[in-house]
Amino acid sequence: MTSPLEQKKIRITGPSVVTANRTWDGAVVYRTGQRGWSTELVDAAIVSTSDDARALLAESAADDVGAVGAYIAPVEIKDGGSIKPGNLREHIRAKGVTIDLRVPA
Amino acid sequence: MYAYDELDRTLISERVSEFRDQVKRRLSGELTEDEFKILRLQNGVYLQLHAYMFRVAIPYGTLSSKQLRALAHVARRYDRGYGHFTTRQNIQFNWIKLAELPDALADLAEVGIHAMQTSGNNMRNVTSDQWAGVAPGEIEDPRIWSELLRQHTTLHPEFSFLPRKFKIAITASEHDRAAIKIHDIGLRLHKNADGETGFEVLVGGGLGRTPFIAKTIKPFVHGRDILSYVEAILRVYNQYGRRDNIYKARIKILVHELGIEKFAREVEEEWKQMGDVGLTLDHAAIEEVRSRFSYPAYEKLPHMPDELKQAAHDPVFERWRKNSVFPHKVQGYSIVTLSLKPVGGPPGDATAEQMDAIADLADRYSFGEIRVGHEQNLALPHVAKRDLPALFKALDRVGLATPNVNLVTDIIACPGLDYCSLANARSIPIAQELTRRFANHDTAGLIGRLHINISGCINACGHHHVGHIGILGVEKNGEEFYQITIGGRADENAQMGTLIGPAVPYAEVADVIEDIVEAYLALRDRPEELFVDTVKRLGVEPFRERVYATR
């Protein structure tokens, strides 16, 4: 759960995606294989090598108007192919806060 | 209340227009995020896990009912219906959209609220005692001086690009409710032997990864000289503060590395060299600001009205009164703290409906005024004692009469990993679980005063170092762990807590805190001995033993 803001070197050890926050509203978005952004993790382009991750991140970061603060985040590919966030931080970003809010989101 | 003059209103309004243009240019791609970031930070806009976060200043913790309704409006119209009061007299909105931010700022500007300098490496919101102007025994209202400092430092070019953020807190009471000793500059208002008003000046306090308690560099600076003296401190900091290393950039590091005596000499030398730079506050200047604060026309009321005598037969009311109602400087009036720490709720959060309700109650019972404290609670500062029973009923209806002020469930917590991009671990769920464990108010009352502070990372926004019990979230191999400290305090006897042992996993934190509290109940030498005093008397060892013997 080390903050990706401190992410210095790109070295991945498993399936990963590029995620960021959408510029106009800050919503969590994932880089798709069609050079766009989606709010759904299921739409994300999955990379499995450091070179591919580096390339996807470079392409994503170039879209400074669409999204902000792009970084590489781990995911898990479950049996059956579904994609899950790879750590608690990303789980919270994907699913929302883990607390009972007084006002539902 | 303080009434802004035309200059203030113009400044805030122009700032909104400026930011609207900046946002427009950002969304069109004319500005890159790198170019825009410093601009948004200067207007209190962060980018957090799920969304932008918008931090609004509440100078010296004073709000009018009209201003609170405007905050409720922002929560409802632009956010998800609630706001989070912070440990520095700010409010944060967690789900704001960048494209709508200029409109939100414009709505707030209508009531004299802004977000200038609530982030970035500049002078942050000048904070003060939430009981300022109404606390018995106060030297004088510290907000006069907070406002003078606010005016002098707002958009001051010399202080807009400091090595790091800079925080000032002011108190004028013997008991420090403003936590001045954990601020970059702490100012304690007092009188010298000649009866003149001035300040003890403390420098170099702060928490974060390198915590320090502030040290006194001058026991008395005359009130008329406070702007120039603070400016001298800032000049020394601006000149020598580390800009090469963010972790060593705060003034506390400079004070520590130079030593307090050398730092004080540097400031004294700078102050002398500055000479008369037009910063000496003459009587008229001080009185001008003082005159813009309005105070209620208090009635002459009995110390113990009949309404209060009758309500004292209701044990539920009486428990709340003993816990949440505090003495006022004017006979017949009270200060009422509104707990924003309901059992199972996120500490410091208030819904738009609650904010509106509080604004209505402030109009009816507190001359339209509300205060915000660093403990993440609110207060109504001028409540006639005869109105306390009616106020209690109204507060209870909107979930704001939890009788837990200063007790084990009055937990200070940062937003943690549920919201914050810097966090390593969650804070709010830990707080929520603890409030459930100690939900019985009778038990909490027997435990007595006990401050728990929770931070989700070493940046210490939850002030864990100075909690009677401090809880710090860390990451170990991708899992949430928590370090526990005990014996800290944030008042006039401020000190850092001591680590009791290895970090414990998320699932065990509440059990550990229960063990610590049970150990305290067994170890205290009388019911009146506070937790923090028992720790001081016995040290951490008996607590460590209790927690780790079976783990």
Side-chain angles (χ1 to χ4, degrees):
Chain A
M1 283 171 284
T2 297
S3 166
L5 302 180
E6 295 170 16
Q7 197 174 35
K8 301 262 186 339
K9 291 180 183 171
I10 297 172
R11 191 177 60 220
I12 64 172
T13 55
S16 302
V17 299
V18 168
T19 183
N21 291 83
R22 194 161 56 194
T23 301
W24 76 270
D25 67 349
V28 174
V29 287
Y30 302 93
R31 192 67 174 173
T32 69
Q34 291 75 45
R35 294 178 170 257
W37 295 101
S38 171
T39 54
E40 302 300 322
L41 179 56
V42 70
D43 297 332
I46 312 281
V47 289
S48 301
T49 69
S50 297
D51 284 346
D52 288 347
R54 198 174 297 118
L56 186 64
L57 182 62
E59 174 220 304
S60 307
D63 181 12
D64 183 61
V65 180
V68 182
Y71 63 93
I72 296 162
V75 291
E76 289 177 31
I77 312 291
K78 298 289 187 187
D79 292 342
S82 65
I83 309 170
K84 301 288 179 196
N87 59 36
L88 177 60
R89 185 181 201 275
E90 292 308 319
H91 175 83
I92 290 171
R93 289 182 77 244
K95 304 291 182 188
V97 297
T98 65
I99 56 183
D100 295 330
L101 292 172
R102 292 187 198 177
V103 178
Chain B
M1 289 303 305
Y2 181 77
Y4 277 172
D5 61 16
E6 192 53 37
L7 182 69
D8 285 307
R9 285 192 291 271
T10 304
L11 187 145
I12 293 173
S13 168
E14 287 178 351
R15 183 71 165 207
V16 174
S17 303
E18 186 181 77
F19 190 57
R20 189 182 294 282
D21 181 59
Q22 290 162 352
V23 169
K24 188 178 164 192
R25 288 192 286 148
R26 171 69 189 119
L27 293 176
S28 72
E30 193 180 332
L31 290 177
T32 65
E33 175 61 13
D34 281 349
E35 291 165 334
F36 179 68
K37 186 176 178 182
I38 191 166
L39 303 174
R40 68 169 161 81
L41 287 176
Q42 285 171 349
N43 289 283
V45 183
Y46 288 77
L47 187 59
Q48 297 288 34
L49 285 191
H50 315 274
Y52 292 96
M53 180 271 278
F54 178 40
R55 182 183 292 157
V56 176
I58 301 167
Y60 30 85
T62 298
L63 275 175
S64 68
S65 55
K66 197 174 169 185
Q67 289 173 323
L68 186 56
R69 283 192 193 93
L71 293 171
H73 161 74
V74 167
R76 191 179 288 119
R77 169 82 183 270
Y78 303 104
D79 211 87
R80 292 192 178 176
Y82 65 102
H84 174 77
F85 289 95
T86 76
T87 52
R88 288 210 77 253
Q89 296 178 325
N90 298 307
I91 184 169
Q92 294 178 176
F93 298 100
N94 293 305
W95 306 96
I96 211 96
K97 295 176 175 66
L98 181 61
E100 295 180 351
L101 255 165
D103 289 339
L105 268 173
D107 292 350
L108 292 176
E110 292 287 320
V111 294
I113 300 184
H114 61 82
M116 282 182 277
Q117 298 183 193
T118 56
S119 58
N121 293 336
N122 49 47
M123 182 74 77
R124 301 293 185 87
N125 190 23
V126 178
T127 57
S128 191
D129 184 352
Q130 70 269 29
W131 293 0
V134 290
E138 186 177 72
I139 300 292
E140 66 173 54
D141 191 338
R143 294 174 302 166
I144 312 297
W145 303 95
S146 307
E147 175 58 22
L148 283 159
L149 276 162
R150 187 196 70 80
Q151 289 182 11
H152 181 59
T153 57
T154 298
L155 303 186
H156 191 308
E158 198 172 332
F159 310 142
S160 294
F161 298 94
L162 294 168
R164 197 74 181 87
K165 59 188 170 183
F166 203 92
K167 302 173 182 177
I168 296 180
I170 307 180
T171 184
S173 286
E174 209 168 298
H175 178 57
D176 175 15
R177 282 174 290 269
I180 67 166
K181 290 190 173 180
I182 55 170
H183 278 75
D184 296 292
I185 293 180
L187 300 174
R188 185 180 70 83
L189 201 63
H190 66 119
K191 288 190 185 295
N192 67 7
D194 297 326
E196 295 172 310
T197 301
F199 295 90
E200 177 186 1
V201 180
L202 300 93
V203 177
L207 301 176
R209 70 182 62 224
T210 317
F212 287 107
I213 298 297
K215 298 180 180 72
T216 300
I217 60 166
K218 205 166 177 69
F220 188 84
V221 174
H222 198 287
R224 65 176 171 251
D225 296 322
I226 196 61
L227 291 188
S228 61
Y229 194 76
V230 165
E231 181 143 330
I233 294 170
L234 281 158
R235 285 185 172 193
V236 170
Y237 174 50
N238 234 343
Q239 183 171 1
Y240 297 116
R242 295 276 298 268
R243 293 173 190 271
D244 61 321
N245 183 338
I246 192 173
Y247 302 121
K248 296 187 175 181
R250 296 290 292 269
I251 196 172
K252 62 189 175 184
I253 305 294
L254 178 65
V255 170
H256 177 69
E257 288 184 352
L258 284 181
I260 191 68
E261 291 81 13
K262 183 164 170 36
F263 182 84
R265 280 198 304 275
E266 291 282 350
V267 171
E268 205 66 25
E269 187 61 31
E270 179 66 33
W271 196 36
K272 276 183 197 149
Q273 280 188 7
M274 281 166 59
D276 182 5
V277 287
L279 291 179
T280 304
L281 291 163
D282 60 21
H283 182 71
I286 297 168
E287 291 310 307
E288 159 65 16
V289 169
R290 196 188 305 275
S291 72
R292 300 190 71 80
F293 279 88
S294 61
Y295 295 91
Y298 295 113
E299 294 176 70
K300 193 169 182 185
L301 297 174
H303 172 65
M304 181 56 78
D306 290 342
E307 293 88 341
L308 204 53
K309 284 180 197 160
Q310 286 165 14
H313 298 297
D314 174 359
V316 179
F317 168 79
E318 200 54 8
R319 180 168 58 198
W320 171 80
R321 186 192 64 77
K322 284 179 179 167
N323 173 263
S324 305
V325 178
F326 299 91
H328 195 282
K329 70 176 185 182
V330 177
Q331 180 182 293
Y333 287 86
S334 296
I335 304 165
V336 176
T337 298
L338 314 185
S339 170
L340 295 182
K341 319 288 177 63
V343 172
D349 278 13
T351 65
E353 289 70 27
Q354 286 178 321
M355 288 187 238
D356 278 338
I358 294 165
D360 290 347
L361 292 172
D363 281 340
R364 188 177 305 168
Y365 298 119
S366 185
F367 297 91
E369 195 173 325
I370 303 103
R371 302 290 180 82
V372 183
H374 87 271
E375 298 91 350
Q376 299 178 293
N377 289 320
L378 302 182
L380 297 179
H382 322 283
V383 180
K385 286 184 174 178
R386 66 178 176 215
D387 294 332
L388 287 170
L391 174 63
F392 168 69
K393 282 181 187 165
L395 288 173
D396 199 30
R397 279 196 289 272
V398 287
L400 292 164
T402 312
N404 64 348
V405 176
N406 293 325
L407 300 181
V408 63
T409 51
D410 185 4
I411 296 170
I412 292 175
C414 73
L417 188 59
D418 279 293
Y419 294 100
C420 180
S421 62
L422 298 175
N424 293 317
R426 288 172 290 169
S427 301
I428 296 171
I430 297 282
Q432 289 177 305
E433 176 58 18
L434 286 170
T435 62
R436 292 186 197 104
R437 297 283 181 106
F438 295 99
N440 184 313
H441 297 311
D442 291 331
T443 306
L446 288 174
I447 295 166
R449 190 177 188 117
L450 205 173
H451 298 295
I452 296 180
N453 293 51
I454 310 174
S455 301
C457 77
I458 195 63
N459 292 301
C461 294
H463 296 180
H464 64 276
H465 298 98
V466 289
H468 293 179
I469 298 176
I471 303 174
L472 165 64
V474 296
E475 178 207 338
K476 276 188 176 181
N477 300 322
E479 300 291 328
E480 297 168 289
F481 276 71
Y482 295 83
Q483 295 177 352
I484 314 289
T485 53
I486 60 172
R489 56 197 302 168
D491 58 9
E492 60 279 7
N493 299 310
Q495 64 177 30
M496 305 299 168
T498 304
L499 190 66
I500 63 163
V504 297
Y506 177 87
E508 290 182 27
V509 175
D511 291 342
V512 167
I513 303 305
E514 278 193 321
D515 284 351
I516 291 171
V517 172
E518 280 173 17
Y520 155 65
L521 292 173
L523 291 165
R524 68 183 179 186
D525 67 358
R526 59 191 193 288
E528 295 76 28
E529 186 179 59
L530 300 184
F531 173 85
V532 75
D533 293 326
T534 303
V535 176
K536 188 176 180 184
R537 180 169 57 84
L538 297 174
V540 301
E541 200 50 46
F543 296 92
R544 189 197 317 265
E545 212 168 276
R546 174 65 181 254
V547 169
Y548 293 100
T550 56
R551 286 187 172 82

